[in-house]
Amino acid sequence: MLVALAVLVASCAVAWVFQDWQTSLIVLAILVVVYLLVFYWRWLYVAARTARRDFTALFHYIKILSLSRRLTKSNSAIPDVFHDVVLKHPNKNCFLIDDEVWTFRQVEEFSLRTSAVLKANGVKRGDVVGVMMSNSPELPAIWLGLTRLGAVAPLINTNQTGNTLLHSINIAKCDVVIYGAEYEEAFQEVKNDLNPSIKLFKYTHRPLNTSGTAVQVADSANDFTSMLETTPPLPWFKSEGDGFNGKLLYIYTSGTTGLPKAAVISSSRMVFMASGVHYLGGLNSKDVIYCPMPLYHSAGGCITMGQALIFGCTIVLRKKFSASAYFKDCMKYNATAAHYIGEMCRYILATPPSATDRQHKVRVVYGNGMRQAIWPEFVRRFNIKKVAEFYGATEGNANIVNVDNKMGAIGFVSRIIPAVYPIAILKVDQETGEPIRNSKGLCQLAKPGEPGVFIGKINPKLASRAYLGYVDKEASEKKIVRDVFSFGDSAFISGDILVADELGYLYFRDRTGDTFRWRGENVSTTEVEAAISRVAEQRDAVVYGVEIPNTEGRAGMCGIVDIDDTLDLDKLLKDVSRDLPKYARPIFIRKMTSVDMTGTFKMRKVDLQKEGYDPNKVSDKLYYLDPKLDKYLPLGLEEYEKIISGQIRL
């Protein structure tokens, strides 16, 4: 740079002395351009390729911050924001489910009736009222009603029973729990183990439980439906909680790595999540959005509910996801947008082709977890114009969105204005999940093409950058990394391994802890799962590492669904060998009748990993890859003992 500067000064001086100052300026301009082209041509190339993407996103990001600033100023909680939406179009359809139609006015009236019932039962600001209900308009209406009183609403996973259900109620410190009648058996099972001070209210769905419905006799003292039918709604009043930055909901993690943890969601966090997808994902208030997602999770319960409660969209609900009904429902309700998550798209793609595949009005699908391997076929078959894949941890403080339909990307980090949105990818030890620090003790940015962990920088003074974490403060602290880029700063560390390309597009690689080393190489479970599902007719496949005594690293094992025992392992190995390097091919295969899934279509692998390839613990058929024959052979007790003793070397 010093040499270049010296040449620049000398050239300008010569031009000035022998010509004039105007010529000197021309020489200066030419040399500056030459300098930039010689030394910064790659940056200029990236800027030219990404400027439109980055500045479009920046424009929408400013809109998100403007909305957040306005609601901060008015200190509006979500029930207050929803009230403003109701005033704009009270008779517009808010929720559609089966043959029921709920207008915005009806949803708010139901929520005010809920406020009246709970207030009469002593619920007040700071109380915790758990809600465990199937997908229905009443679910968001009930939590709107109780949060208006200043209470917090844990949304309990409807798949939970026994000790897990007890754990979810206790970790949130519930004072009251409202549950759907369909979960009566689950609550009867744990009732005696609950703190007797916890009030239990049972809700029985009857179409449009509003003042116009005929009142039925209460079937018990805790009949919440009867209470609603016999109590007039309160007049509207501003929320009595802590406003925009106060606690609103607790959303439980899926529990793929242990018991669920309750993440804190404030009104500001919900607005940030929902508005990010709304603006950056290309949605608008006229959209009819199809949502078969469980409403106890942040994807359906915050992001899609936010489209109705904050932006006035119409939401089509379905009680339970059905792959064959997905686009048929979109046709039935004239949906213009649709939500997906996890493995949904793979299941939908696995349905037989139909003449109705393209006879819908859906222009954009949004969600997270669409595998890159099926992305092109999905958009081609169903004629989807835009896929707004997004990424964000429920408990975190940062979300990213694929704004320009880049296939496989979950978002981007700007290469030309990186400081605008405070996220980063850090170099990390992929086995321990710990950031790799430099000689000064600070973290290092991952280079393009280098896997790293996603972080969101924490700024407690900004609602959009605050980190709320979990109800369990100790668990929250574990997700914070300190002294990141300067001493004293901090960031939320997601635990997710991403990789950025030269243009800044981000791609999901794996979870820290899921990546394992074998034969001196890092193996991505996500990559292997995608490859196996693709060649095995989109079957469910879950990959994890298992230990072999006296062998470095962990060997890959794949549990794959094969209900009727028709999976040809010779063909599987041949096909997967074309996609995966030798070190990534599973050493062990477990044929299963089903895979344990979370309510948000994430595969549980903790128990599978514990059972490993031990025939004493596993009743399913097991196989191992014989390195000499290059073939999967049955694994019984005799083979297991030989592997453990080292007689069979893998």
Side-chain angles (χ1 to χ4, degrees), residues 380-410:
R380 180 194 58 77
R381 174 176 164 183
F382 298 108
N383 193 32
I384 303 300
K385 299 293 189 296
K386 181 178 176 66
V387 177
E389 175 84 3
F390 64 82
Y391 166 86
T394 300
E395 71 278 17
N397 65 339
N399 299 76
I400 50 177
V401 182
N402 182 335
V403 299
D404 59 352
N405 237 6
K406 177 68 173 179
M407 196 163 291
I410 62 173

Side-chain angles (χ1 to χ4, degrees), residues 205-247:
H205 173 79
R206 292 198 279 268
L208 284 182
N209 288 280
T210 59
S211 56
T213 306
V215 177
Q216 300 189 25
V217 177
D219 64 4
S220 64
N222 71 336
D223 187 341
F224 196 65
T225 310
S226 178
M227 297 179 198
L228 289 167
E229 291 175 345
T230 55
T231 305
L234 290 172
W236 181 83
F237 59 97
K238 188 171 176 64
S239 296
E240 297 176 344
D242 293 327
F244 189 56
N245 292 318
K247 294 179 181 178

Side-chain angles (χ1 to χ4, degrees), residues 42-43 45-46 53 413-416 424-427 444-452 498-507 509:
R42 202 66 200 174
W43 185 92
Y45 166 77
V46 170
R53 175 199 71 184
V413 58
S414 176
R415 294 296 187 200
I416 56 177
I425 311 296
L426 300 183
K427 288 184 179 181
Q444 304 175 70
L445 288 173
K447 297 175 182 177
E450 181 180 23
L498 309 184
V499 63
D501 65 16
E502 184 184 25
L503 301 180
Y505 288 106
L506 298 172
Y507 302 88
R509 177 64 65 87

